Amino acid sequence: MHMTSNPSDSTTNQIPNSTQSPHWAVIGFCVVAILFNLCLVAQLLTVGFAHFYNPAWWNIHVHFVRGYSGLSLILLAWVYWIPFPPRIRKLTASLAVLLGLQFLTIHAKTSLPLAIFHPLLGFSLFTASSTLVHRVWRTIWPSKENKLDTI
């Protein structure tokens, strides 16, 4: 059986030269994506504190997400302002969608308790955010060997 590598190469992960945005804008996007990812880590820690240490942490968990959730919309607008590759655009859009589903599952009152999907959506949100950071980082600073492009 012959295995082929991922058809993406270093050029598909890069911002097109013909419409290259100012480098500061791309780095700024990366900084905000990293900040969003760190907020998700803090969010996970606050729910852990609420569950295992002190239920009063739940209020911090709730208020914190209300504070940083707007970053997903900023990233969504930003990703269409800069000509990023389609994969980065899809990952960025998924952040807003998954965060919206997080709010929906925790607040919707239905016969099926949708809140059971809340942790799974949180895991998916963290995975998408981490992947976005990784992809944007590789777009800005591609490796010379492109070892990760075949993964």
Side-chain angles (χ1 to χ4, degrees):
M1 173 183 248
H2 183 263
M3 299 292 287
T4 59
S5 65
N6 188 346
S8 68
D9 61 4
S10 63
T11 58
T12 59
N13 288 329
Q14 306 221 356
I15 298 169
N17 286 334
S18 61
T19 57
Q20 183 113 13
S21 298
H23 197 59
W24 63 267
V26 178
I27 291 173
F29 181 89
C30 185
V31 168
V32 174
I34 291 169
L35 178 62
F36 184 82
N37 194 258
L38 291 174
C39 286
L40 290 173
V41 171
Q43 189 70 0
L44 183 61
L45 292 174
T46 61
V47 78
F49 273 117
H51 184 73
F52 295 109
Y53 178 65
N54 183 347
W57 277 87
W58 187 254
N59 289 332
I60 296 168
H61 176 80
V62 170
H63 292 318
F64 187 59
V65 72
R66 291 176 184 163
Y68 78 82
S69 60
L71 290 177
S72 67
L73 299 177
I74 291 169
L75 287 169
L76 186 59
W78 205 332
V79 81
Y80 285 98
W81 173 55
I82 300 170
F84 273 115
R87 177 73 172 147
I88 290 176
R89 286 184 174 186
K90 289 176 188 172
L91 283 166
T92 304
S94 74
L95 299 182
V97 170
L98 288 167
L99 203 52
L101 289 172
Q102 283 281 91
F103 281 111
L104 176 72
T105 58
I106 208 66
H107 293 295
K109 305 296 183 219
T110 62
S111 58
L112 174 68
L114 294 178
I116 63 171
F117 296 110
H118 191 79
L120 179 61
L121 289 166
F123 175 75
S124 299
L125 181 61
F126 182 72
T127 301
S129 176
S130 298
T131 304
L132 175 66
V133 168
H134 177 76
R135 292 270 181 172
V136 172
W137 189 273
R138 283 184 24 208
T139 298
I140 298 171
W141 296 286
S143 66
K144 290 184 173 129
E145 297 85 25
N146 295 315
K147 293 177 185 175
L148 298 176
D149 284 339
T150 59
I151 296 177

